[in-house]
Amino acid sequence: VEGDANVATAKFVNTKRQLTDLVVTKQWVKQDGTVIKDGLPTAIYLKLQRTKTPDKEGSWKDVQKVKQLTDSYSGWVTTFTGLDKFDAEVDPYAYYTYRVLESVTEAGPFYGGSASNVIEIDGKKYTILNNTVSCADDSKTSLALTLTNQLQDAKYNLNITKQDAENKTKLGGVEFKLEKLVETTEGEPQVDTTYKFNDTNTGSITAKTNDKGEITKVFTNLEPGTYRLTETKAHAGYNLLAQPIVIEFTQAGTCSIDGQVIPLGDKFTKSDNTYTMTLTVLNRKTPELPHTGADAPSLWLL
């Protein structure tokens, strides 16, 4: 500024605050850790919270406003900026812990707290993993968090009702064997001999129908996959099924019987993340052959 009378003055203010940024990378994985890239939602909403006592659920407080995260050109990545590492006015030695909660809508509800860490997106349920990060490490100039949602496997129950094909009489004492198949590209499907149905049945599990012709609470908690149901013992006077029944349960919550998709309804129901298929299997009586070999008049023609 021209002239000695005009003086430029700058005022510097120092505070005890230390600021950092939090870079959040969102990803979805299967139970085996494989990253899911297809069939993802178009957007997810994130809420940032912080506390000095992360073991106390009621101590978490909201920080900044809700962010919408989408699969943009940079991927599922967003940054929360200007975050305090600690409370400079009260206790500069008590570092903050930040956590990220999720919702499918901007208004919530938000999931990721200790009381409820499962979120449902497009009919699929995910467990929210490692959604917290601490500021205690002074060597870090910024924080990074990989916010992971792990897909929960849908569970399936298979109930069987066995009855006469003509008069609908319920057939007891009929034995069925259930096996899980290994996916193959060619040849006959092979049985997954390592699949564990329960604590005592590995590779296959068998059960008999009761006097009401039913099998329930036996073929339960089945994982998604392809199964083969074989009738191994028929009701007295009845034929065995000519061939096994192939049942496919998918992670997406669908069921197919011998290639035919079964819609949700009376026979195929859903409760929470568990699906129940009630399958009615029909049998016909063994045809009786006419009696032969008895004496009878005959007419011989020459």
Side-chain angles (χ1 to χ4, degrees):
V1 181
E2 185 178 0
D4 292 338
N6 299 321
V7 179
T9 302
K11 182 179 180 180
F12 294 88
V13 179
N14 288 358
T15 71
K16 297 180 181 179
R17 295 178 64 192
Q18 289 187 20
L19 303 182
T20 186
D21 296 338
L22 172 59
V23 181
V24 179
T25 302
K26 188 78 186 70
Q27 73 172 6
W28 285 263
V29 298
K30 297 180 181 179
Q31 286 286 4
D32 60 2
T34 304
V35 177
I36 303 172
K37 297 181 179 181
D38 300 321
L40 299 177
T42 57
I44 196 79
Y45 293 87
L46 306 181
K47 176 192 285 189
L48 185 65
Q49 294 185 329
R50 73 183 179 192
T51 182
K52 290 180 281 187
T53 54
D55 56 329
K56 297 180 180 180
E57 178 59 30
S59 66
W60 292 92
K61 304 297 182 183
D62 292 347
V63 182
Q64 300 186 2
K65 63 180 182 179
V66 173
K67 276 181 173 288
Q68 183 188 40
L69 180 58
T70 61
D71 188 12
S72 62
Y73 67 92
S74 60
W76 293 89
V77 181
T78 190
T79 303
F80 293 93
T81 60
L83 305 178
D84 284 290
K85 286 188 174 183
F86 48 78
D87 189 341
E89 301 299 326
V90 178
D91 188 356
Y93 298 101
Y95 287 92
Y96 283 120
T97 296
Y98 287 88
R99 77 177 180 186
V100 180
L101 305 184
E102 299 179 57
S103 175
V104 293
T105 65
E106 187 174 4
F110 285 85
Y111 299 90
S114 60
S116 178
N117 64 344
V118 176
I119 184 172
E120 183 170 343
I121 306 173
D122 297 336
K124 301 176 183 178
K125 291 195 172 184
Y126 298 85
T127 302
I128 300 174
L129 306 178
N130 56 296
N131 65 327
T132 63
V133 62
S134 174
C135 296
D137 190 350
D138 273 337
S139 63
K140 295 181 179 180
T141 57
S142 65
L143 304 175
L145 173 65
T146 300
L147 182 60
T148 303
N149 285 11
Q150 187 176 57
L151 183 64
Q152 287 189 343
D153 275 342
K155 295 296 183 180
Y156 290 89
N157 299 328
L158 176 63
N159 295 334
I160 296 174
T161 299
K162 186 70 174 178
Q163 66 184 31
D164 186 283
E166 302 295 336
N167 56 27
K168 310 305 180 186
T169 301
K170 301 299 187 290
L171 305 177
V174 180
E175 185 178 82
F176 286 93
K177 179 174 68 172
L178 186 66
E179 302 165 295
K180 190 174 188 293
L181 303 180
V182 178
E183 293 184 4
T184 56
T185 55
E186 58 183 17
E188 290 294 324
Q190 303 298 312
V191 175
D192 184 355
T193 57
T194 64
Y195 181 73
K196 193 172 185 179
F197 286 90
N198 51 39
D199 291 337
T200 57
N201 297 96
T202 301
S204 67
I205 184 172
T206 60
K208 289 184 178 180
T209 58
N210 58 21
D211 55 358
K212 297 181 181 179
E214 298 175 344
I215 296 176
T216 59
K217 300 180 181 180
V218 178
F219 304 139
T220 58
N221 292 323
L222 304 175
E223 297 177 358
T226 302
Y227 294 81
R228 181 170 64 190
L229 182 68
T230 306
E231 184 178 356
T232 56
K233 181 181 179 181
H235 188 81
Y238 285 79
N239 290 322
L240 289 171
L241 289 179
Q243 59 186 14
I245 299 172
V246 177
I247 305 169
E248 182 182 7
F249 298 128
T250 70
Q251 180 63 64
T254 63
C255 173
S256 298
I257 306 293
D258 288 334
Q260 180 180 356
V261 177
I262 308 299
L264 283 173
D266 296 336
K267 299 297 183 181
F268 184 49
T269 60
K270 178 185 179 183
S271 177
D272 197 16
N273 203 40
T274 300
Y275 298 81
T276 299
M277 179 67 214
T278 301
L279 178 64
T280 300
V281 182
L282 304 178
N283 269 37
R284 298 183 182 274
K285 287 187 175 182
T286 304
E288 296 183 359
L289 296 175
H291 184 63
T292 61
D295 294 335
S298 300
L299 176 64
W300 291 86
L301 298 179
L302 179 59

